[in-house]
Amino acid sequence: MSENKWEQMDGTSLLKELELYSVAEGISDIHFSPEKEFVRLEVRLHGVLQSLGQISVKNYIQLVRRVKFSSKLKLNITNVPQDGQYTFEAPGRTVNIRVASIPTRFGETFTLRLLDPQKGIVSLETLGFPKEIRDSLADLVQLPNGLILVTGPTGSGKTTTLYALLQTIIGKERNIITLENPIEYELTGIVQSQVDEEHDYTFSSGLRSILRHDPDVILVGEIRDLETAQTAIDAALTGHLVLSTLHTNSAIEAIPRLLSMGVSPYTFAPSLRAILAQRLVRTLSDECKKEGADCDPLDHSTYDGQIALPELLIITPDIREQILLNETAMTLEEQAKKEGYRLMREWGESYIKDGVTSASEVMRVSV
């Protein structure tokens, strides 16, 4: 679509067109960034920010009014950040948009995050994990108790992976309750609860409440503090399977991170079952997968999708012993490698060899 098309539309038409275009293209975020004389329009596609062009300040004012009205933000407030959400109808489904604004020098900057159920509720196979990892994850989620962590930066697909894991056990005589902030996608067959910090319904207080509802499996959206971490660990030790996320660069790093928060190694070590770290890499288009294809790895058109790049640390008796001894990440990694643990970049090398992605993509996302 030409950049001129966006520039020529009034604000209301632009928003409608952008919504449908983003759903069709698989765009995850829309960014509006005001400059002195125009507004930058950018989108995140397959994890990479790309420019769609510029729009006029006049049209942007119309668009902002529409966005604020739809997401129930205060129209007359422009000097403080605001958050909201709204939905729109796409072919065959309802898409939720999370709206966030911040005041800037030239006006309010808006980011619209699309939560498309077609992208968010998928199977482990669709996520593209190697069979070895997929089989291990499928086994882990069948465990009656313990703590399973998924780590990675924002936008690395952690929630999508957790939903995919839950889908494999829905309807199998297990009471599944989630605590999320916010609920990103609606899953049938489970109980989903949303954090409300204004009313003191936090991850830690919410988790304590959930434990009174006889759950078998609990999904805690994120472990942010010691109280949530220790409550999740205690729940995992008392007969519950607990799934959660953490922001660390690698699977191994999650262990010293939680210990540094102050969790007890004597409860953490026996409760922990596995840690999955992941990133999303762009996949080569069919044309660029062909032998002898002359595709520039830095050109966006070289890629047409995304796949999960993982590293999975299974907690064995030896690693459990090292956690109890508070060993360093380096020592833990050495032991894990002896037991077959493969780093993200090693999985990336196999993806490159199989023609799934390019070396520059693996370098872009892996540590």
Side-chain angles (χ1 to χ4, degrees):
M1 189 172 287
S2 70
E3 291 185 1
N4 285 339
K5 178 164 182 177
W6 304 117
E7 292 177 36
Q8 291 157 9
M9 286 184 187
D10 66 76
T12 305
S13 305
L14 174 61
L15 183 60
K16 285 180 183 172
E17 192 74 28
L18 266 174
E19 289 167 351
L20 295 173
Y21 173 74
S22 297
V23 164
E25 295 295 318
I27 286 162
S28 61
D29 301 83
I30 307 169
H31 296 269
F32 301 99
S33 307
E35 301 280 0
K36 193 172 185 178
E37 295 176 354
F38 59 87
V39 176
R40 278 187 287 119
L41 172 57
E42 295 164 312
V43 294
R44 191 169 295 279
L45 177 61
H46 306 321
V48 177
L49 194 67
Q50 301 179 25
S51 172
L52 273 193
Q54 301 172 1
I55 57 177
S56 71
V57 173
K58 178 188 168 190
N59 287 347
Y60 183 56
I61 290 168
Q62 292 175 339
L63 181 140
V64 165
R65 199 176 294 128
R66 186 72 219 165
V67 167
K68 283 188 165 185
F69 179 77
S70 300
S71 52
K72 298 181 173 61
L73 301 186
K74 291 176 181 172
L75 295 168
N76 59 333
I77 300 290
T78 59
N79 60 345
V80 293
Q82 295 192 74
D83 295 289
Q85 62 177 12
Y86 70 94
T87 60
F88 71 93
E89 294 305 313
R93 61 202 186 274
T94 300
V95 176
N96 185 279
I97 290 192
R98 274 163 44 194
V99 177
S101 76
I102 52 170
T104 70
R105 186 180 176 192
F106 298 116
E108 289 178 285
T109 286
F110 275 80
T111 297
L112 276 54
R113 167 153 287 188
L114 281 84
L115 300 174
D116 185 348
Q118 195 159 290
K119 286 183 69 186
I121 305 173
V122 294
S123 65
L124 285 174
E125 288 83 359
T126 308
L127 289 171
F129 286 113
K131 188 176 186 305
E132 178 187 323
I133 299 267
R134 201 166 67 231
D135 290 349
S136 295
L137 289 173
D139 289 343
L140 284 162
V141 81
Q142 300 295 334
L143 292 171
N145 57 61
L147 177 64
I148 299 171
L149 295 171
V150 181
T151 81
T154 302
S156 58
K158 300 186 295 294
T159 304
T160 307
T161 296
L162 287 171
Y163 282 169
L165 283 170
L166 288 183
Q167 277 193 295
T168 65
I169 54 170
I170 288 173
K172 295 187 177 175
E173 299 177 341
R174 296 173 91 176
N175 183 19
I176 303 169
I177 304 179
T178 75
L179 182 61
E180 304 173 60
N181 185 26
I183 295 170
E184 294 199 5
Y185 303 100
E186 292 174 10
L187 288 174
T188 9
I190 69 174
V191 175
Q192 290 176 279
S193 182
Q194 183 164 307
V195 164
D196 182 359
E197 292 184 354
E198 284 184 18
H199 296 93
D200 201 31
Y201 187 57
T202 62
F203 279 122
S204 52
S205 66
L207 184 50
R208 289 195 303 273
S209 299
I210 282 172
L211 288 168
R212 294 194 283 271
H213 287 262
D214 186 32
D216 298 296
V217 181
I218 304 166
L219 165 62
V220 185
E222 189 183 345
I223 291 177
R224 294 180 183 171
D225 53 52
L226 172 59
E227 191 180 357
T228 308
Q230 194 61 58
T231 308
I233 288 164
D234 293 344
L237 283 174
T238 53
H240 308 88
L241 183 65
V242 182
L243 312 176
S244 192
T245 73
L246 201 63
H247 288 278
T248 61
N249 287 325
S250 68
I252 297 280
E253 279 177 44
I255 294 170
R257 169 70 58 81
L258 281 165
L259 290 171
S260 69
M261 274 185 188
V263 300
S264 157
Y266 302 102
T267 52
F268 180 41
S271 70
L272 189 61
R273 296 287 178 262
I275 305 166
L276 171 73
Q278 69 177 64
R279 301 285 190 285
L280 295 174
V281 288
R282 293 182 294 175
T283 51
L284 294 168
S285 66
D286 289 342
E287 193 59 41
C288 292
K289 283 176 184 169
K290 290 176 183 172
E291 203 171 320
D294 186 21
C295 294
D296 180 358
L298 301 180
D299 190 326
H300 298 317
S301 64
T302 297
Y303 308 95
D304 66 357
Q306 283 179 298
I307 194 171
L309 177 62
E311 56 184 36
L312 179 62
L313 177 68
I314 307 282
I315 307 304
T316 61
D318 285 338
I319 292 174
R320 192 163 281 123
E321 186 65 31
Q322 291 193 338
I323 295 171
L324 285 167
L325 295 170
N326 215 344
E327 291 287 5
T328 64
M330 193 179 292
T331 307
L332 287 162
E333 188 176 301
E334 284 170 8
Q335 179 59 39
K337 281 186 166 181
K338 287 178 192 170
E339 299 175 11
Y341 173 65
R342 290 172 69 183
L343 294 169
M344 204 176 285
R345 63 173 175 268
E346 293 173 306
W347 282 110
E349 283 162 13
S350 67
Y351 282 13
I352 297 161
K353 188 180 171 187
D354 294 342
V356 173
T357 191
S358 66
S360 62
E361 263 302 284
V362 172
M363 282 176 63
R364 181 178 69 82
V365 302
S366 61
V367 287

